[in-house]
Amino acid sequence: MLVLGVESSCDETGIALYDTERGLLSHALHSQVDMHAEYGGVVPELASRDHIRRVLPLTERTLKEANKTLQDIDAIAYTQGPGLSGALLVGTSFAESLAFSLQIPTISVHHLEGHLLAPLLEDNPPAFPFVALLVSGGHSQLMRVDGIGEYQLLGDTLDDAAGEAFDKTAKLLGLGYPGGPALARLAENGHPRFKLPRPLLNSGDLNFSFSGLKTAVLTLTNKHQPLDEATKADIAWEFQEAVTELLTIKCMSALRETGLDRLVVSGGVGANSKLREKLNAATSRKLCQVSYPRLEFCTDNGAMIAFAGAMRLKAMQTNDLQNHHFSVKPRWNLAELQKP
Ligand code: KG4
Ligand code: ZN
């Protein structure tokens, strides 16, 4: 079965074709980063309008690359939420109306389920069950994953998400948007010089808290005015060290507590090389396996939505398929999902 995937929850339009027999056939992405950069963050109305401009050309490109036509598509998967409501509506109404005209089913996908399953697009995918660390701009969660739709929340952030902390700290250091990759680049020139706190490190649970780190960075930057480049890089180094250390230690605790030996990392912060370095070292010491999506599938993309949709489609009964009445879910708790 051939599934078209449509992602438009935030500032990336992603389209992909996933074949349940042959795997990922093609994918195309347009990032709005340059457009939002001058505002220092995502402007929702501009995001929606840009999705409208991109969705058709990207779909045509994806079909052409795979040497397929609209008539070859068996189902359309799209992100129903969580995300920006206007942006979600573009992908949702596009997917539902195209499916209606082609008389094929649609599968609404939870954006985080897309991220969570993205590492399974790679060779040698991990088997269920596993522990998943989901670290994006809006979420920092540890989950126990027993199968598609079988997700148990183990730990969550009490305040900022990891990506949000990277973005806010980058702003304090005068870096552009999105801050995560910019801060990671700056940290490469930094050295151990400052010491930031490690919030909730010994809390005895699997929760995170990152907002205190950002405040500690603010105090540091105020103390070292005017900030020279070397000081900025040293602050970035220590901030990245603190966040990646916290994430790694909590991942290892989650593996220990669940008794599982497989870890899956997904979401934009999963692209961070310091995090990967620390997780690789810690998991290999404990003889555990760790899997990541390829770098381009850490951040938002259509491939993960096509894949999650295809997995759900395979498990669905024909009478579970949707009848083209649709809504979006700008707020949607992953733990509400059920087995297909
Ligand atoms: O998963 P994603 O594309 O969007 C959400 O669903 O939120 O994640 C975007 C987040 C942003 O906060 C961005 O700064 C962060 O991921 N990010 C990184 C890196 N690449 C992206 N954070 C740290 N290091 C990176 N290399
Ligand atoms: Zn995302």
Side-chain angles (χ1 to χ4, degrees):
M1 273 185 296
L2 187 64
V3 179
L4 180 77
V6 181
E7 157 62 32
S8 74
S9 66
C10 188
D11 58 349
E12 262 119 12
T13 324
I15 304 286
L17 275 172
Y18 185 86
D19 186 319
T20 48
E21 304 300 316
R22 294 168 54 207
L24 185 66
L25 300 187
S26 59
H27 60 98
L29 184 87
H30 176 78
S31 169
Q32 304 174 356
V33 159
D34 292 343
M35 183 179 77
H36 297 295
E38 67 176 290
Y39 303 95
V42 178
V43 184
E45 183 58 25
L46 293 184
S48 317
R49 291 177 194 206
D50 200 66
H51 286 304
I52 293 173
R53 279 193 290 274
R54 308 291 172 184
V55 74
L56 275 174
L58 287 175
T59 303
E60 282 165 2
R61 204 167 96 201
T62 307
L63 284 166
K64 197 163 168 226
E65 269 175 30
N67 212 7
K68 298 283 181 193
T69 66
L70 284 177
Q71 280 64 36
D72 294 321
I73 303 172
D74 296 304
I76 305 184
Y78 63 86
T79 305
Q80 191 186 13
L84 302 170
S85 52
L88 288 167
L89 267 171
V90 178
T92 301
S93 50
F94 165 71
E96 288 290 356
S97 45
L98 181 59
F100 178 71
S101 69
L102 293 170
Q103 290 297 298
I104 56 174
T106 52
I107 311 122
S108 54
V109 172
H110 193 296
H111 180 77
L112 295 184
E113 180 171 64
H115 275 302
L116 201 77
L117 301 178
L120 308 191
L121 276 162
E122 304 305 325
D123 294 338
N124 305 318
F128 297 115
F130 52 74
V131 168
L133 171 71
L134 219 152
V135 268
S136 68
H139 295 84
S140 300
Q141 298 185 331
L142 274 163
M143 321 266 315
R144 180 191 164 106
V145 179
D146 285 283
I148 308 287
E150 295 180 78
Y151 312 128
Q152 186 196 338
L153 186 66
L154 302 173
D156 205 344
T157 179
L158 304 182
D159 39 57
D160 292 349
E164 188 181 2
F166 265 95
D167 292 338
K168 288 179 174 169
T169 302
K171 217 170 207 170
L172 289 176
L173 295 175
L175 304 174
Y177 157 87
L183 190 141
R185 273 194 302 278
L186 180 64
E188 281 173 25
N189 306 324
H191 300 91
R193 173 174 155 204
F194 300 114
K195 193 71 195 160
L196 288 170
R198 304 289 189 265
L200 301 191
L201 183 63
N202 299 311
S203 58
D205 59 25
L206 298 171
N207 291 329
F208 306 103
S209 166
F210 296 113
S211 72
L213 266 177
K214 176 195 61 197
T215 314
V217 168
L218 179 64
T219 311
L220 259 186
T221 54
N222 286 339
K223 204 167 138 197
H224 290 86
Q225 288 296 331
L227 278 182
D228 58 47
E229 281 309 304
T231 305
K232 275 197 216 175
D234 292 344
I235 295 175
W237 189 95
E238 171 62 11
F239 172 80
Q240 180 173 258
E241 185 68 17
V243 174
T244 54
E245 190 181 313
L246 283 163
L247 292 174
T248 304
I249 287 174
K250 296 272 170 162
C251 281
M252 297 318 290
S253 304
L255 287 170
R256 200 174 49 247
E257 284 179 25
T258 55
L260 298 176
D261 61 1
R262 284 183 293 270
L263 175 70
V264 157
V265 182
S266 56
V269 183
N272 186 277
S273 36
K274 191 55 167 273
L275 177 64
R276 290 186 176 213
E277 198 184 289
K278 283 193 192 301
L279 287 174
N280 289 344
T283 48
S284 83
R285 269 199 302 275
K286 296 284 175 198
L287 303 178
C288 293
Q289 181 193 341
V290 58
S291 312
Y292 313 91
R294 70 193 80 166
L295 286 181
E296 63 176 328
F297 293 164
C298 281
T299 44
D300 294 349
N301 65 84
M304 66 184 196
I305 302 304
F307 179 70
M311 293 300 104
R312 287 196 159 260
L313 186 68
K314 274 209 268 188
M316 273 171 164
Q317 308 292 326
T318 345
N319 55 2
D320 290 341
L321 296 170
Q322 281 174 225
N323 55 7
H324 304 300
H325 294 159
F326 64 87
S327 62
V328 293
K329 296 181 179 174
R331 290 173 185 277
W332 193 4
N333 187 346
L334 187 63
E336 287 169 16
L337 292 195
Q338 291 179 352
K339 281 168 78 168

